Amino acid sequence: MRLVWYNHPRSVFRRLRESLRAQLLAWVILTLFGAICFNLYDSFRTADAASKLVTDHTLLASARVIAEAVRVDAGGTVEVDVPPAAIEMFDTGYGDQVFYQVITAWGNLVAGYPELPLPTVERVGQDRAFRNAGVRALTLNHPVVGLPKDGEIAVTVAVTHNAQYALRRRLWFSDFTKQLVLVLLAGVVTIIGLQRGLAPVLRLRDAVRERGRDRLDPLSPSMVQSELRPLVLALNDHMERVQNQMAAQRRFVSNAAHQLRTPLALISTQASVAAREKNTERRDEALQALRNSTHQISRLASQLLTLSRAEPGSRRPRTDVVDLVAVAREVLGTQAEEALRRGIDIGLEENGSVDVEGDGTMLREMLVNLVDNAIRYTPAPGRVTVAVTRQNGTAVLRVEDNGPGIHPMEREHVLERFYRIIGTEGEGSGLGLAIVLEVATGAGGTVWLDDAKGGGLVVTVRLPARAKH
Ligand SMILES: Nc1ncnc2c1ncn2[C@@H]1O[C@H](COP(=O)(O)OP(=O)(O)OP(=O)(O)O)[C@@H](O)[C@H]1O
Ligand SMILES: [Mg+2]
């Protein structure tokens, strides 16, 4: 069965939010769109101003031709015979209508349309409404020889907008198309640049995606630009860590299997011997050995389980408030019988509770393993002391015995998994101190092995203590 994703409108936004390429493209397109809108507006304003300027020049020229034609006859009457050129200069093929008006300074209409709207400033073209249409009008004051009083006439010429608008359209269009071509060109170049710039990132994605489950060899940093190299290096670093982790896991599993195999083989042999043995005494011996082997294997299983629980990420991190003194007292209580049986004196040194934060169960397991080692490896009559103190915000747990101790050369190794010192007597899987180390570091602490004063071993675990309330 194949899953088909339908293009839901929300997925477009999600894609935009999640995809770097889509985001960059969206920004480029948005910028281009803004640039085009601005161009549209700016080129319109330029074209409008140019077309007005051209119309105003023609209006001024026309007004001047009309003004030149104004005469004052012998009786003082002002007359004008409008030359056809003054009107014809507007004949540009757009069917514009031309209106004019000539008045004297004292307000007498000499010729033209009396109701023609007049601009407010001389020699400056202005848009006016006339006969339900828009016109562009311009007034020119002109002196006329022989006129009484102020001696000037005012000539106003107005023309409908057809030619002006046509010119504006033409200018606008040519300017806009030029700018549009430039903007689009810039856009295309940016998008191509973007695609090319992102190509190495996509190549890196494909290289990572196409790798098989077990391929963890480093990626080549030269496949991406210098800015992205730290990312590739970080990835390589991470893969190396994963690889080491996987190798450690493999070693651990094979070690565990190895450790399990020996007692299992023993159990099988001892069971066969017990089954075959007719002599009751010898059969009991074989059954006793069988029980010991079973005990050994069950201890190994429980140590393995504890270690796997102590590993980071295997349990939800817990931050119980744990009083180490109370835990130590409880652990010593449960081990008291075994200590007595082995002829070991056990004691606790403390002066008040010492709280730490961490996983209570795991911290208890840590103490169980330390006390168990001390009791087990110290020959009778021996002495084991657990001391819990607080030193400048640090909880210090010391488990001291007067046994054989551990040679300095061996101290680092005994913290490794499955490591037992050659010649160590009694059963054991070599996981106890590895559990101690894992729990202590998981709670943000350290483990230190040293010689005890009177011989023997002292294990010191330091953990960040919780402030006293
Ligand atoms: N208090 C001690 N005195 C002397 N040797 C010790 C002491 N504690 C540990 N050792 C040595 O360090 C080795 C590792 O100890 P660890 O607790 O890791 O494993 P183990 O005790 O052998 O097995 P288990 O997993 O059952 O605890 C032991 O085999 C022992 O040789
Ligand atoms: Mg142990």
Side-chain angles (χ1 to χ4, degrees):
M1 196 184 80
R2 271 191 65 194
L3 262 182
V4 182
W5 290 100
Y6 292 101
N7 223 354
H8 192 268
R10 231 185 26 212
S11 72
V12 176
F13 288 109
R14 185 185 298 166
R15 211 175 107 73
L16 201 63
R17 246 202 342 261
E18 288 174 1
S19 157
L20 175 65
R21 184 162 48 168
Q23 264 181 36
L24 291 174
L25 267 178
W27 277 112
V28 170
I29 288 169
L30 215 69
T31 315
L32 287 183
F33 183 71
I36 288 171
C37 285
F38 178 74
N39 281 346
L40 212 60
Y41 168 74
D42 187 56
S43 51
F44 174 80
R45 273 181 44 147
T46 316
D48 189 48
S51 67
K52 278 178 178 162
L53 198 72
V54 170
T55 310
D56 291 355
H57 270 119
T58 319
L59 285 169
L60 188 64
S62 168
R64 189 158 280 139
V65 170
I66 294 173
E68 298 288 346
V70 174
R71 298 277 170 272
V72 181
D73 68 6
T77 316
V78 186
E79 290 177 334
V80 61
D81 197 5
V82 175
I87 309 300
E88 281 163 6
M89 62 177 77
F90 293 100
D91 187 12
T92 43
Y94 290 99
D96 274 315
Q97 280 183 283
V98 186
F99 311 96
Y100 63 89
Q101 184 201 69
V102 182
I103 52 168
T104 59
W106 56 92
N108 269 8
L109 179 72
V110 179
Y113 297 83
E115 73 278 26
L116 193 65
L118 301 181
T120 46
V121 188
E122 201 227 338
R123 289 177 185 232
V124 176
Q126 285 179 352
D127 289 319
R128 287 277 180 272
F130 182 57
R131 294 188 173 174
N132 297 330
V135 290
R136 184 134 187 109
L138 179 136
T139 299
L140 172 74
N141 293 337
H142 194 74
V144 176
V145 183
L147 268 189
K149 298 191 180 166
D150 293 346
E152 273 199 344
I153 48 126
V155 180
T156 302
V157 184
V159 64
T160 48
H161 282 131
N162 299 359
Q164 183 191 327
Y165 286 173
L167 178 61
R168 182 172 75 184
R169 253 194 321 275
R170 233 184 16 243
L171 289 174
W172 185 23
F173 187 70
S174 90
D175 194 24
F176 177 65
T177 39
K178 256 186 278 173
Q179 295 196 26
L180 189 68
V181 166
L182 272 180
V183 166
L184 289 181
L185 213 67
V188 168
V189 171
T190 312
I191 289 170
I192 292 174
L194 205 70
Q195 298 281 34
R196 289 183 66 99
L198 284 179
V201 182
L202 301 181
R203 265 207 306 278
L204 176 67
R205 177 199 65 187
D206 294 339
V208 174
R209 196 189 267 167
E210 282 160 14
R211 283 177 157 230
R213 236 162 35 107
D214 47 352
R215 264 201 65 190
L216 288 166
D217 53 296
L219 295 155
S220 161
S222 62
M223 72 191 293
V224 291
Q225 298 97 327
S226 58
E227 290 87 345
L228 290 171
R229 276 183 204 151
L231 174 70
V232 176
L233 292 178
L235 253 173
N236 286 347
D237 225 38
H238 179 70
M239 286 195 295
E240 198 186 323
R241 279 201 301 274
V242 172
Q243 206 164 20
N244 291 343
Q245 185 83 18
M246 277 168 67
Q249 289 287 358
R250 266 199 295 272
R251 260 199 320 274
F252 181 68
V253 171
S254 97
N255 270 334
H258 199 74
Q259 296 279 328
L260 284 166
R261 213 167 50 179
T262 319
L264 277 174
L266 258 177
I267 286 175
S268 165
T269 321
Q270 284 154 350
S272 318
V273 171
R276 255 189 282 116
E277 195 58 67
K278 297 278 183 295
N279 183 312
T280 334
E281 214 170 284
R282 280 212 291 273
R283 193 169 60 207
D284 284 352
E285 256 174 45
L287 282 174
Q288 182 61 38
L290 184 64
R291 198 164 52 202
N292 286 347
S293 301
T294 321
H295 182 256
Q296 194 181 336
I297 207 164
S298 108
R299 164 142 179 101
L300 172 62
S302 80
Q303 287 287 77
L304 279 173
L305 196 63
T306 311
L307 184 61
S308 87
R309 281 186 182 151
E311 280 187 328
S314 59
R315 276 159 72 100
R316 202 140 38 91
R318 287 176 55 176
T319 48
D320 313 324
V321 177
V322 184
D323 175 14
L324 281 184
V325 174
V327 177
R329 189 171 295 125
E330 194 259 331
V331 169
L332 286 177
T334 55
Q335 306 260 32
E337 200 181 320
E338 175 71 10
L340 194 68
R341 198 176 64 78
R342 288 179 182 257
I344 308 289
D345 231 9
I346 52 174
L348 174 67
E349 275 177 18
E350 48 107 354
N351 47 16
S353 64
V354 177
D355 288 345
V356 295
E357 261 177 30
D359 189 323
T361 320
M362 286 296 124
L363 288 167
R364 185 182 178 281
E365 287 295 338
M366 176 179 84
L367 252 155
V368 166
N369 269 290
L370 287 174
V371 174
D372 176 75
N373 278 354
I375 294 174
R376 200 191 307 208
Y377 301 120
T378 305
R383 200 181 65 252
V384 170
T385 315
V386 177
V388 185
T389 50
R390 173 197 287 273
Q391 287 172 13
N392 307 328
T394 305
V396 183
L397 166 77
R398 282 160 54 90
V399 180
E400 185 174 344
D401 61 53
N402 60 352
I406 297 179
H407 191 272
M409 302 265 279
E410 295 276 20
R411 281 180 199 154
E412 206 177 305
H413 298 300
V414 288
L415 294 169
E416 288 167 12
R417 295 163 179 203
F418 299 110
Y419 189 89
R420 301 196 82 205
I421 295 171
I422 297 169
T424 302
E425 301 221 331
E427 59 200 37
S429 50
L431 290 176
L433 288 175
I435 292 171
V436 171
L437 182 67
E438 205 72 61
V439 174
T441 47
T446 56
V447 180
W448 183 250
L449 307 188
D450 213 341
D451 287 326
K453 273 195 202 96
L457 181 73
V458 54
V459 183
T460 311
V461 177
R462 289 170 195 276
L463 298 171
R466 212 164 169 269
K468 263 194 169 163
H469 292 294

